[in-house]
mmCIF file with all atom_site columns, all heavy atoms in Angstrom:
data_model
loop_
_atom_site.group_PDB
_atom_site.id
_atom_site.type_symbol
_atom_site.label_atom_id
_atom_site.label_alt_id
_atom_site.label_comp_id
_atom_site.label_asym_id
_atom_site.label_entity_id
_atom_site.label_seq_id
_atom_site.pdbx_PDB_ins_code
_atom_site.Cartn_x
_atom_site.Cartn_y
_atom_site.Cartn_z
_atom_site.occupancy
_atom_site.B_iso_or_equiv
_atom_site.pdbx_formal_charge
_atom_site.auth_seq_id
_atom_site.auth_comp_id
_atom_site.auth_asym_id
_atom_site.auth_atom_id
_atom_site.pdbx_PDB_model_num
ATOM   1  N  N   . HIS A 1 136 ? 49.549 26.742 129.487 1.00 95.00 ? 139 HIS A N   1
ATOM   2  C  CA  . HIS A 1 136 ? 49.526 28.144 129.927 1.00 95.00 ? 139 HIS A CA  1
ATOM   3  C  C   . HIS A 1 136 ? 50.508 28.366 131.079 1.00 95.00 ? 139 HIS A C   1
ATOM   4  O  O   . HIS A 1 136 ? 51.299 29.310 131.059 1.00 95.00 ? 139 HIS A O   1
ATOM   5  C  CB  . HIS A 1 136 ? 48.101 28.528 130.338 1.00 95.00 ? 139 HIS A CB  1
ATOM   6  C  CG  . HIS A 1 136 ? 47.989 29.894 130.961 1.00 95.00 ? 139 HIS A CG  1
ATOM   7  N  ND1 . HIS A 1 136 ? 47.554 31.006 130.268 1.00 95.00 ? 139 HIS A ND1 1
ATOM   8  C  CD2 . HIS A 1 136 ? 48.268 30.323 132.219 1.00 95.00 ? 139 HIS A CD2 1
ATOM   9  C  CE1 . HIS A 1 136 ? 47.582 32.056 131.078 1.00 95.00 ? 139 HIS A CE1 1
ATOM   10 N  NE2 . HIS A 1 136 ? 47.998 31.674 132.274 1.00 95.00 ? 139 HIS A NE2 1
ATOM   11 N  N   . GLU A 1 137 ? 50.445 27.507 132.079 1.00 96.00 ? 140 GLU A N   1
ATOM   12 C  CA  . GLU A 1 137 ? 51.354 27.680 133.226 1.00 96.00 ? 140 GLU A CA  1
ATOM   13 C  C   . GLU A 1 137 ? 52.807 27.482 132.787 1.00 96.00 ? 140 GLU A C   1
ATOM   14 O  O   . GLU A 1 137 ? 53.712 28.160 133.281 1.00 96.00 ? 140 GLU A O   1
ATOM   15 C  CB  . GLU A 1 137 ? 50.983 26.718 134.354 1.00 96.00 ? 140 GLU A CB  1
ATOM   16 C  CG  . GLU A 1 137 ? 49.606 26.976 134.971 1.00 96.00 ? 140 GLU A CG  1
ATOM   17 C  CD  . GLU A 1 137 ? 49.392 28.422 135.392 1.00 96.00 ? 140 GLU A CD  1
ATOM   18 O  OE1 . GLU A 1 137 ? 50.372 29.101 135.780 1.00 96.00 ? 140 GLU A OE1 1
ATOM   19 O  OE2 . GLU A 1 137 ? 48.242 28.888 135.311 1.00 96.00 ? 140 GLU A OE2 1
ATOM   20 N  N   . HIS A 1 140 ? 54.215 30.596 131.528 1.00 96.00 ? 143 HIS A N   1
ATOM   21 C  CA  . HIS A 1 140 ? 54.783 31.505 132.546 1.00 96.00 ? 143 HIS A CA  1
ATOM   22 C  C   . HIS A 1 140 ? 56.213 31.092 132.891 1.00 96.00 ? 143 HIS A C   1
ATOM   23 O  O   . HIS A 1 140 ? 57.076 31.947 133.121 1.00 96.00 ? 143 HIS A O   1
ATOM   24 C  CB  . HIS A 1 140 ? 53.925 31.478 133.809 1.00 96.00 ? 143 HIS A CB  1
ATOM   25 C  CG  . HIS A 1 140 ? 52.622 32.203 133.657 1.00 96.00 ? 143 HIS A CG  1
ATOM   26 N  ND1 . HIS A 1 140 ? 52.512 33.475 133.130 1.00 96.00 ? 143 HIS A ND1 1
ATOM   27 C  CD2 . HIS A 1 140 ? 51.349 31.840 133.984 1.00 96.00 ? 143 HIS A CD2 1
ATOM   28 C  CE1 . HIS A 1 140 ? 51.246 33.854 133.133 1.00 96.00 ? 143 HIS A CE1 1
ATOM   29 N  NE2 . HIS A 1 140 ? 50.511 32.880 133.638 1.00 96.00 ? 143 HIS A NE2 1
ATOM   30 N  N   . GLU A 1 156 ? 49.441 37.507 131.171 1.00 91.00 ? 159 GLU A N   1
ATOM   31 C  CA  . GLU A 1 156 ? 48.525 36.370 131.060 1.00 91.00 ? 159 GLU A CA  1
ATOM   32 C  C   . GLU A 1 156 ? 48.188 36.058 129.602 1.00 91.00 ? 159 GLU A C   1
ATOM   33 O  O   . GLU A 1 156 ? 48.109 34.894 129.211 1.00 91.00 ? 159 GLU A O   1
ATOM   34 C  CB  . GLU A 1 156 ? 47.254 36.622 131.859 1.00 91.00 ? 159 GLU A CB  1
ATOM   35 C  CG  . GLU A 1 156 ? 47.474 36.732 133.365 1.00 91.00 ? 159 GLU A CG  1
ATOM   36 C  CD  . GLU A 1 156 ? 48.121 35.490 133.956 1.00 91.00 ? 159 GLU A CD  1
ATOM   37 O  OE1 . GLU A 1 156 ? 47.992 34.411 133.340 1.00 91.00 ? 159 GLU A OE1 1
ATOM   38 O  OE2 . GLU A 1 156 ? 48.766 35.598 135.003 1.00 91.00 ? 159 GLU A OE2 1
ATOM   39 N  N   . ALA A 1 159 ? 50.989 34.323 127.990 1.00 95.00 ? 162 ALA A N   1
ATOM   40 C  CA  . ALA A 1 159 ? 51.016 32.907 128.381 1.00 95.00 ? 162 ALA A CA  1
ATOM   41 C  C   . ALA A 1 159 ? 50.015 32.104 127.553 1.00 95.00 ? 162 ALA A C   1
ATOM   42 O  O   . ALA A 1 159 ? 50.287 30.960 127.177 1.00 95.00 ? 162 ALA A O   1
ATOM   43 C  CB  . ALA A 1 159 ? 50.725 32.758 129.873 1.00 95.00 ? 162 ALA A CB  1
ATOM   44 N  N   . TRP A 1 199 ? 41.655 30.819 138.310 1.00 76.00 ? 202 TRP A N   1
ATOM   45 C  CA  . TRP A 1 199 ? 42.478 30.644 137.112 1.00 76.00 ? 202 TRP A CA  1
ATOM   46 C  C   . TRP A 1 199 ? 41.857 31.305 135.896 1.00 76.00 ? 202 TRP A C   1
ATOM   47 O  O   . TRP A 1 199 ? 42.547 31.683 134.948 1.00 76.00 ? 202 TRP A O   1
ATOM   48 C  CB  . TRP A 1 199 ? 42.711 29.151 136.826 1.00 76.00 ? 202 TRP A CB  1
ATOM   49 C  CG  . TRP A 1 199 ? 43.815 28.930 135.847 1.00 76.00 ? 202 TRP A CG  1
ATOM   50 C  CD1 . TRP A 1 199 ? 45.159 28.977 136.102 1.00 76.00 ? 202 TRP A CD1 1
ATOM   51 C  CD2 . TRP A 1 199 ? 43.689 28.668 134.452 1.00 76.00 ? 202 TRP A CD2 1
ATOM   52 N  NE1 . TRP A 1 199 ? 45.863 28.760 134.941 1.00 76.00 ? 202 TRP A NE1 1
ATOM   53 C  CE2 . TRP A 1 199 ? 44.991 28.557 133.918 1.00 76.00 ? 202 TRP A CE2 1
ATOM   54 C  CE3 . TRP A 1 199 ? 42.591 28.508 133.592 1.00 76.00 ? 202 TRP A CE3 1
ATOM   55 C  CZ2 . TRP A 1 199 ? 45.240 28.293 132.568 1.00 76.00 ? 202 TRP A CZ2 1
ATOM   56 C  CZ3 . TRP A 1 199 ? 42.840 28.244 132.247 1.00 76.00 ? 202 TRP A CZ3 1
ATOM   57 C  CH2 . TRP A 1 199 ? 44.153 28.140 131.749 1.00 76.00 ? 202 TRP A CH2 1
ATOM   58 N  N   . HIS A 1 205 ? 43.143 37.684 133.814 1.00 76.00 ? 208 HIS A N   1
ATOM   59 C  CA  . HIS A 1 205 ? 43.565 36.928 132.631 1.00 76.00 ? 208 HIS A CA  1
ATOM   60 C  C   . HIS A 1 205 ? 43.067 37.517 131.317 1.00 76.00 ? 208 HIS A C   1
ATOM   61 O  O   . HIS A 1 205 ? 43.429 37.029 130.261 1.00 76.00 ? 208 HIS A O   1
ATOM   62 C  CB  . HIS A 1 205 ? 43.076 35.476 132.726 1.00 76.00 ? 208 HIS A CB  1
ATOM   63 C  CG  . HIS A 1 205 ? 43.920 34.622 133.609 1.00 76.00 ? 208 HIS A CG  1
ATOM   64 N  ND1 . HIS A 1 205 ? 43.755 34.579 134.962 1.00 76.00 ? 208 HIS A ND1 1
ATOM   65 C  CD2 . HIS A 1 205 ? 44.949 33.785 133.331 1.00 76.00 ? 208 HIS A CD2 1
ATOM   66 C  CE1 . HIS A 1 205 ? 44.640 33.735 135.478 1.00 76.00 ? 208 HIS A CE1 1
ATOM   67 N  NE2 . HIS A 1 205 ? 45.379 33.246 134.511 1.00 76.00 ? 208 HIS A NE2 1
HETATM 68 ZN ZN1 . ZN  B 2 .   ? 48.493 32.744 133.974 1.00 82.91 ? 315 ZN  B ZN1 1
#
Side-chain angles (χ1 to χ4, degrees):
H139 173 100
E140 295 309 329
H143 286 311
E159 295 302 336
W202 195 79
H208 281 84

